[in-house]
Amino acid sequence: MKVIMVRYKVKPDQTEKNKDYIRKVFAALAKQAPANFRYSSFVMEDGVSFVHIVANSGDSNPLADLPEFKEFTAEIKARCEEPPVATPLQEVGAYNFFV
């Protein structure tokens, strides 16, 4: 399974807008229910730093086809103080993390 972490920091006045975009993506995923795909999003304690974790064992990325994800990413750099950085992760161990 391929796992990627994306992290970034939004401008303080963009936090709620960013959360709204994320909620729309999750609503679309709930309707589509792609197989072999896991996605989590977190806001850190500072309220402006976000972390997304994507785990995918399929051949394609279901996010790429979602209009809601395209809308979310379209102007993300303008919302950010620190742009998104994607980092591949290699699992060492997990307990009930992606169940």
Side-chain angles (χ1 to χ4, degrees):
M1 180 171 284
K2 184 177 180 180
V3 181
I4 296 175
M5 175 185 65
V6 178
R7 60 181 175 76
Y8 57 95
K9 185 182 286 189
V10 297
K11 297 171 186 169
D13 65 335
Q14 297 294 307
T15 301
E16 290 307 313
K17 183 176 186 178
N18 200 63
K19 287 179 182 179
D20 288 341
Y21 279 126
I22 293 168
R23 289 181 189 111
K24 289 177 185 176
V25 170
F26 278 101
L29 284 171
K31 288 179 186 175
Q32 190 180 64
N36 305 312
F37 184 76
R38 308 275 191 249
Y39 183 47
S40 297
S41 179
F42 306 89
V43 62
M44 296 176 76
E45 191 172 337
D46 66 5
V48 293
S49 298
F50 288 80
V51 175
H52 301 254
I53 299 175
V54 181
N56 188 8
S57 59
D59 292 332
S60 64
N61 182 351
L63 291 174
D65 296 329
L66 289 179
E68 294 84 355
F69 187 74
K70 290 175 184 176
E71 183 181 0
F72 167 59
T73 59
E75 296 180 10
I76 189 141
K77 289 182 181 179
R79 290 193 309 272
C80 288
E81 281 188 6
E82 295 177 15
V85 175
T87 305
L89 302 176
Q90 185 175 5
E91 184 178 305
V92 176
Y95 178 78
N96 283 339
F97 194 70
F98 288 119
V99 178

